[in-house]
Amino acid sequence: MRKQEVWTGGEASQAHSTGSPAEQVKALVDLLAWKGSQGGQTPQVPDRTPDSPLGPRSNDSRIRRYREALLSRMGGGPELNGPPPRLASLLLVEGLTDLQLREHDFTQVEATRGQQRPARPIGLDRLFLPLSRVSIPPRISITVGVAGMGKTTLVRHFVRLWAQGQVGRDFLLVLPLTFRDLNIHEKLSADRLLRSVFPNTGEAGLDVATQARVLLVLDGLDECKTPLDFSNTVACTDPKKEIQVDHLITNIVRGNLFPKVSVWITSRPSVAGQIPGGLVDRMTEIRGFTEEEIKVCLERMFPEEQTLLGQVLSQVQADRALYLMCTVPAFCNLTGAALGHLCRSRPALHDAELWPPRTLCELYCWYFQMALSREGQEKGKVSPRIEQVAHGGRKMVGTLGRLAFHGLVKRKYVFYEQDMKAFGVDLTLLQGALCSCFLQREETLASSVAYCFTHLSLQEFVAAAYYYSASRRAIFDLFTESGMSWPRLGFLTHFRSAAQRAMQAEDGRLDVFLRFLSGLLSPRVNALLAGSLLAQGEHQSYRAQVAELLQGCLHRDTAVCARAVNVLHCLNELQHTELVRSMAEAMESGALARLTGPAHRAALAYLLQVSDTCAREANLSLCLSQGVLQSLLPQLLYCRSLRLDTNQFQDPVMELLGSVLSGKDCRIQKISLAENQISNKGAKALARSLLVNRSLTALDLRSNTIGPQGAKALAEALKINRTLTSLSLQSNMIKDDGARSMAEALASNQTLSLLHLQKNSIGPAGAQRMAEALRQNRSLKELMFSSNSIGDGGAKALAEALKVNQGLESLDLQSNSISDAGVAMLMEALGVNQTLLSLNLRENSISPEGAQALAHALCINSTLKHLDLTANLLHDQGAQAIAVAVGKNHTLKSLHLQWNFIQASAARALGQALLLNSSLTSLERTPLGMRELLRWPVR
């Protein structure tokens, strides 16, 4: 993302000046065609005249007619009744992640479990405005979203709102174009491009005011027939020169053409990476459906069929993988249509085993069946004969399959009439209900017709069905249009070719195609499509061999990449689940340590992605070596909660984990590395990652050996990090120096709410520094300081801090050699403090004298709810004093008094106090005197 410059006062005033209509026309033509390289002079703008007939919101009849034409062209829709919440704002993101750049859209949704990365929302009304008072509006804006997320719907929604004057009021003209429109041109000039949207402009240019901005919208970069190449495109500054369309777009983005025109591009994430980040001023992302929006979407599909709606909803909610994919609106609609047809057909199903659909391929088979039923109904036959169904289905696959397959191989997703003719597609077939469920038709601005599959996954499904059937008779490689020098005979040979090409495709574009191809071999799918699309038992003899072939793709001792995980998805589609099932059982029984082969690693990576258990917490304790962990790093990125305890990890592993936590893709929120062998070097590696990480909220490093230097490194990171809320450094020997470093961090950090520093040999000096920090800090809610040696001096310092601190709710001072003097100071603080809810003073040296101070504080304090005095020296005298206080206190809920030498008389006093207390619900006491105390009820 490039940094935007700041407007000077002169430039800002110049941008808002106007002139006569003739001057405005000339100025805008100069403005649009201005070439920054010609002398470095900006075009002169006429001075403003008060009686100018045109202004920013001119009622010029041509602009008004243009707005009306846009409204007509964009059509109606439910959005006109009010902006959908999902499209009312976008997510402001900082560039693209590696996952978005390299992987298939399905993989992006699956790996991230449908969760958006942390991002700032930005409303449509502010989409092209400066983010601050000192910045300028973005010139190049990109909005990304996976296939089916609603990018075109968003553009049309925005254009409609602009034409109605609701958004983008700074733009006098919005010029919407799609790459489907641009693909029909071999060459095009910038001047012709603008006139194609705003016709009849003539040679003089556009009659608009110079102070108004112009927005050029380019929808669907992923549908551009030629990839943009910013490295090898020749610069062009002449707006009337005809050049290749991809070169034209490249020069507009670079600012060689129309440098003052704002440009908004929409694209799938992987293709948006063609535009260098340094040229992009603003990048936004469309968010997917929430759970409530999935429900609303399905309700709209079945408005009068509540029973059917309930069945569809229950199936979506029961299948976690299906639910995640339904966060994509187009997939949600497709799923609703398929499941709706399936639920209606259930009474007629001869095989109950076909419900519910277990795989992606099965779902799409039901969608295909739904399309077939519509075809029959269109012809007036509610139940067409099997022969007609089979003929229609196979003809459709033969008609569209080759088009879909070769389009997929060539990254071609939009087709024109010449493409249809080249692949022998019968255009008359496209008008039927069957094809309309798969292919949509759209007229371009040039009055030509463009076709595309209603969703990318449908193109992949039809392509797989074509490849499946064509492999019976093909003798040459189906991935090439011309004959090859070696024969390809038999289905297994062709499947091997497809698997090899899918594994070699770095962008994963053949991943889902291979899943569908594998799924067509499953017995359930064969039963579903037998007679309509597949021949009964076709290729079933190859199922075991295909499973072996797919597993053979995993025998590589390298990192488990997305291609390897996709192989496990293929095995699942094939219903060959033995490998994954064995790994799941090993995870449950804690026997993962013995399963370390490449295939086992891939299966583990697959489970990390799809398992509901791993979605909550991936527990990989006591089972990973450094080598296995290294191979799993790409998949660990997307685990929300990760436990890696007791794996004997040393500092080099922390370097690896640090690189994971530093990645843009990282979604890890909690990570536990307890009881490993991490020293200060490992802590420093983790600290470096915390400087840039924006997802981690909890880090557990207990029972390692990071020492004072490791604590210092983490403390320095906490001064900058704004996401970590919980940090455990228990048993790390950080000592006073480490405590001092953490205290310095707390003085400035305002997000950390839980800090565990128990068992760290921290003395009075460290406690003193921590107390000073608590005087300033307002975010820390829980401080675990037990099993140190702070003594009365440290207790006194902390007591002084509690008098002014208004945030701490829980303080643990167990086993800290605190005697009556220290307790007296702490109780004095409790008389003032209004936020502390829990205080642990067990295993100290509190005598009856200290108990008197405790009792006095309990009579005054009205906020403390939990007090632990276990294993002190209270004796009967101290317990009786506390009993008096319990009778007067009405906020304390739990009190622990075990192992304090309390005898029967004191126990009876406590029992009497309970009759007066209405809040205490838990009283733990010494076994001595138990019977006496139990005579009294505890509420």
Side-chain angles (χ1 to χ4, degrees):
M1 301 283 287
R2 68 178 176 191
K3 294 182 179 179
Q4 298 180 44
E5 298 177 355
V6 179
W7 255 336
T8 64
E11 290 170 333
S13 62
Q14 187 185 64
H16 291 281
S17 62
T18 63
S20 68
E23 290 173 327
Q24 290 168 351
V25 172
K26 182 179 184 302
L28 185 65
V29 172
D30 291 342
L31 183 68
L32 292 176
W34 171 63
K35 301 177 284 293
S37 60
Q38 294 182 353
Q41 299 296 319
T42 59
Q44 296 300 312
V45 182
D47 294 332
R48 183 169 190 161
T49 56
D51 56 348
S52 174
L54 292 176
R57 300 274 64 86
S58 170
N59 291 321
D60 177 80
S61 61
R62 293 174 60 199
I63 301 296
R64 187 172 63 253
R65 288 198 303 271
Y66 174 67
R67 288 175 180 260
E68 292 170 355
L70 273 186
L71 281 174
S72 176
R73 173 181 153 198
M74 293 297 159
E79 293 86 354
L80 289 175
N81 299 325
R86 191 177 66 88
L87 298 182
S89 66
L90 303 179
L91 301 176
L92 194 63
V93 296
E94 296 183 4
L96 298 167
T97 66
D98 290 342
L99 181 73
Q100 290 176 311
L101 288 170
R102 297 177 183 175
E103 302 301 342
H104 189 285
D105 293 20
F106 269 35
T107 304
Q108 294 177 36
V109 178
E110 290 166 343
T112 59
R113 297 183 180 272
Q115 300 293 319
Q116 302 286 346
R117 51 181 164 156
R120 168 184 170 185
I122 182 170
L124 278 188
D125 56 338
R126 299 198 56 81
L127 190 56
F128 303 103
L129 296 179
L131 295 178
S132 66
R133 294 182 179 181
V134 296
S135 61
I136 63 173
R139 179 175 176 270
I140 303 297
S141 301
I142 297 180
T143 295
V144 296
V146 299
M149 192 59 84
K151 299 179 290 295
T152 297
T153 302
L154 170 70
V155 167
R156 290 178 176 174
H157 178 59
F158 178 88
V159 172
R160 280 196 296 263
L161 292 180
W162 173 80
Q164 295 169 342
Q166 298 183 40
V167 298
R169 295 183 178 89
D170 285 354
F171 296 117
L172 192 63
L173 274 182
V174 172
L175 309 173
L177 278 167
T178 69
F179 280 90
R180 297 178 188 181
D181 297 322
L182 298 177
N183 284 343
I184 63 175
H185 301 282
E186 291 298 327
K187 289 189 175 183
L188 189 65
S189 69
D191 184 59
R192 274 184 60 203
L193 179 140
L194 290 175
R195 289 207 304 269
S196 68
V197 191
F198 192 78
N200 304 318
T201 58
E203 294 297 324
L206 307 174
D207 184 14
V208 293
T210 58
Q211 84 282 5
R213 294 166 58 202
V214 176
L215 175 65
L216 175 62
V217 183
L218 299 173
D219 181 32
L221 175 61
D222 47 285
E223 296 177 346
C224 184
K225 64 181 180 182
T226 308
L228 304 185
D229 186 352
F230 283 81
S231 300
N232 299 310
T233 300
V234 177
C236 175
T237 57
D238 183 359
K240 297 187 180 297
K241 183 178 179 180
E242 303 246 336
I243 55 178
Q244 290 179 207
V245 172
D246 57 309
H247 292 182
L248 173 66
I249 301 303
T250 301
N251 276 285
I252 289 175
V253 172
R254 280 199 179 279
N256 298 327
L257 293 168
F258 300 159
K260 296 298 181 181
V261 173
S262 297
V263 182
W264 182 24
I265 300 172
T266 68
S267 175
R268 288 167 54 201
S270 57
V271 181
Q274 293 176 7
I275 302 177
L279 298 177
V280 180
D281 300 310
R282 184 168 298 173
M283 183 166 286
T284 52
E285 187 172 344
I286 305 180
R287 70 171 179 82
F289 274 163
T290 62
E291 185 173 358
E292 182 60 30
E293 287 168 333
I294 291 175
K295 183 178 179 181
V296 170
C297 176
L298 295 174
E299 286 174 346
R300 289 177 179 171
M301 297 183 70
F302 311 106
E304 299 177 358
E305 300 175 277
Q306 292 302 310
T307 302
L308 184 62
L309 172 64
Q311 292 175 331
V312 172
L313 266 175
S314 63
Q315 178 58 29
V316 169
Q317 292 168 348
D319 189 329
R320 182 66 181 173
L322 188 60
Y323 166 76
L324 291 179
M325 293 309 304
C326 281
T327 59
V328 179
F331 188 89
C332 188
N333 281 298
L334 186 152
T335 300
L339 291 179
H341 173 73
L342 174 56
C343 291
R344 292 189 184 99
S345 305
R346 283 186 70 184
L349 286 179
H350 299 295
D351 189 352
E353 287 298 316
L354 297 180
W355 171 268
R358 298 175 183 172
T359 65
L360 190 68
C361 192
E362 287 181 34
L363 181 70
Y364 278 67
C365 288
W366 280 109
Y367 183 85
F368 179 75
Q369 296 283 39
M370 178 271 298
L372 284 179
S373 68
R374 289 187 181 180
E375 179 84 358
Q377 292 170 12
E378 186 180 75
K379 295 177 179 178
K381 300 181 180 68
V382 177
S383 300
R385 294 200 311 269
I386 292 178
E387 294 82 0
Q388 292 174 313
V389 171
H391 177 73
R394 289 178 177 172
K395 193 169 184 179
M396 190 278 288
V397 172
T399 299
L400 297 182
R402 187 163 174 260
L403 179 79
F405 174 69
H406 287 288
L408 191 64
V409 172
K410 296 179 179 180
R411 299 183 178 88
K412 188 176 180 67
Y413 309 106
V414 180
F415 309 95
Y416 300 87
E417 290 189 2
Q418 61 268 31
D419 299 312
M420 299 296 187
K421 293 176 182 178
F423 285 99
V425 176
D426 185 353
L427 296 180
T428 60
L429 286 177
L430 303 182
Q431 300 173 8
L434 178 59
C435 285
S436 66
C437 288
F438 288 85
L439 207 65
Q440 64 184 28
R441 180 181 186 273
E442 181 179 312
E443 289 191 6
T444 67
L445 286 177
S447 299
S448 63
V449 179
Y451 298 90
C452 68
F453 286 85
T454 51
H455 190 253
L456 172 62
S457 59
L458 284 173
Q459 180 175 350
E460 293 164 321
F461 175 74
V462 175
Y466 161 77
Y467 192 91
Y468 184 90
S469 59
S471 61
R472 290 178 299 173
R473 58 185 181 275
I475 61 172
F476 292 108
D477 194 335
L478 287 166
F479 280 86
T480 60
E481 291 187 272
S482 58
M484 300 297 291
S485 58
W486 63 90
R488 296 280 185 177
L489 300 174
F491 175 79
L492 193 61
T493 304
H494 286 287
F495 188 94
R496 181 181 293 108
S497 174
Q500 289 172 347
R501 288 181 181 268
M503 292 295 289
Q504 293 166 1
E506 294 183 357
D507 57 0
R509 71 181 185 279
L510 297 178
D511 281 2
V512 176
F513 163 79
L514 188 63
R515 289 191 205 180
F516 283 132
L517 186 59
S518 303
L520 290 170
L521 283 169
S522 91
R524 285 165 58 94
V525 168
N526 196 262
L528 273 172
L529 298 182
S532 60
L533 187 59
L534 307 179
Q536 186 71 40
E538 188 178 32
H539 301 321
Q540 286 301 297
S541 60
Y542 292 115
R543 183 167 171 264
Q545 293 172 285
V546 165
E548 185 178 351
L549 188 155
L550 286 170
Q551 291 184 84
C553 296
L554 302 174
H555 293 161
R556 302 174 184 176
D557 196 15
T558 55
V560 180
C561 62
R563 304 290 79 71
V565 175
N566 190 65
V567 168
L568 272 298
H569 280 288
C570 292
L571 289 169
N572 182 63
E573 294 288 339
L574 191 63
Q575 294 180 22
H576 186 90
T577 58
E578 290 81 355
L579 177 60
V580 171
R581 191 163 57 246
S582 67
M583 288 302 293
E585 292 171 356
M587 284 191 74
E588 291 179 5
S589 62
L592 278 178
R594 59 184 177 81
L595 302 175
T596 59
H600 295 121
R601 299 181 190 188
L604 180 55
Y606 172 80
L607 285 172
L608 290 175
Q609 189 178 102
V610 304
S611 166
D612 287 341
T613 302
C614 291
R616 294 186 292 272
E617 181 181 71
N619 187 354
L620 300 177
S621 301
L622 275 169
C623 66
L624 295 187
S625 64
Q626 178 175 340
V628 174
L629 177 75
Q630 190 167 357
S631 68
L632 290 173
L633 287 180
Q635 309 309 318
L636 296 181
L637 276 167
Y638 311 109
C639 296
R640 296 178 64 183
S641 180
L642 190 59
R643 286 189 62 187
L644 300 172
D645 304 339
T646 324
N647 278 307
Q648 298 184 346
F649 287 157
Q650 298 181 353
D651 295 337
V653 177
M654 296 307 104
E655 295 284 351
L656 296 173
L657 285 175
S659 67
V660 171
L661 293 171
S662 300
K664 281 185 180 180
D665 290 350
C666 183
R667 305 296 174 93
I668 301 174
Q669 297 177 5
K670 299 179 180 179
I671 186 168
S672 177
L673 292 163
E675 299 180 17
N676 281 288
Q677 299 173 14
I678 306 168
S679 72
N680 65 323
K681 291 183 179 179
K684 289 176 181 178
L686 293 173
R688 286 192 294 270
S689 69
L690 291 179
L691 296 174
V692 295
N693 179 278
R694 296 186 178 182
S695 66
L696 195 68
T697 60
L699 174 61
D700 187 351
L701 289 173
R702 57 193 160 85
S703 301
N704 283 286
T705 56
I706 70 169
Q709 291 302 311
K712 181 179 180 180
L714 290 168
E716 291 299 318
L718 286 177
K719 294 177 181 178
I720 298 174
N721 182 281
R722 291 295 178 266
T723 58
L724 197 71
T725 60
S726 173
L727 175 62
S728 176
L729 299 181
Q730 174 184 342
S731 302
N732 266 283
M733 295 298 291
I734 69 171
K735 302 183 179 180
D736 285 343
D737 288 344
R740 180 175 64 249
S741 299
M742 297 306 299
E744 291 174 359
L746 287 178
S748 58
N749 182 288
Q750 296 300 320
T751 55
L752 196 70
S753 61
L754 187 151
L755 180 61
H756 289 190
L757 296 178
Q758 60 267 48
K759 298 182 180 179
N760 269 298
S761 301
I762 300 172
Q768 175 71 40
R769 292 303 185 106
M770 192 61 62
E772 292 172 2
L774 289 176
R775 289 173 174 270
Q776 306 173 50
N777 184 279
R778 293 294 181 270
S779 66
L780 197 67
K781 302 298 181 185
E782 178 177 323
L783 177 60
M784 300 282 285
F785 222 67
S786 62
S787 301
N788 285 293
S789 51
I790 67 172
D792 290 337
K796 179 180 179 181
L798 290 171
E800 293 299 321
L802 287 177
K803 292 179 181 179
V804 296
N805 180 279
Q806 298 300 317
L808 198 66
E809 296 177 354
S810 177
L811 177 61
D812 187 342
L813 297 177
Q814 174 183 343
S815 302
N816 262 292
S817 304
I818 300 173
S819 67
D820 293 338
V823 167
M825 296 301 298
L826 287 169
M827 294 307 105
E828 182 182 334
L830 280 186
V832 179
N833 184 280
Q834 297 297 314
T835 59
L836 197 68
L837 303 177
S838 177
L839 178 61
N840 184 358
L841 291 172
R842 66 186 297 158
E843 298 175 14
N844 281 289
S845 303
I846 305 173
S847 70
E849 182 181 347
Q852 296 292 335
L854 278 164
H856 179 69
L858 288 177
C859 292
I860 300 173
N861 183 279
S862 60
T863 56
L864 194 70
K865 298 181 183 299
H866 308 283
L867 177 62
D868 192 342
L869 299 173
T870 301
N872 277 281
L873 304 170
L874 299 182
H875 296 279
D876 283 356
Q877 183 182 351
Q880 288 173 346
I882 291 174
V884 173
V886 167
K888 298 178 181 180
N889 183 286
H890 297 290
T891 56
L892 201 64
K893 291 186 175 182
S894 69
L895 176 62
H896 295 259
L897 297 172
Q898 306 99 304
W899 313 114
N900 267 290
F901 307 102
I902 299 175
Q903 303 300 318
S905 59
R908 283 193 294 272
L910 286 167
Q912 292 283 356
L914 289 176
L915 291 177
L916 304 175
N917 187 287
S918 60
S919 63
L920 199 64
T921 59
S922 174
L923 177 58
E924 299 291 341
R925 54 272 167 185
T926 179
L928 295 177
M930 180 76 72
R931 292 179 181 176
E932 294 293 335
L933 190 57
L934 286 178
R935 293 178 183 176
W936 307 100
V938 177
R939 297 172 183 84

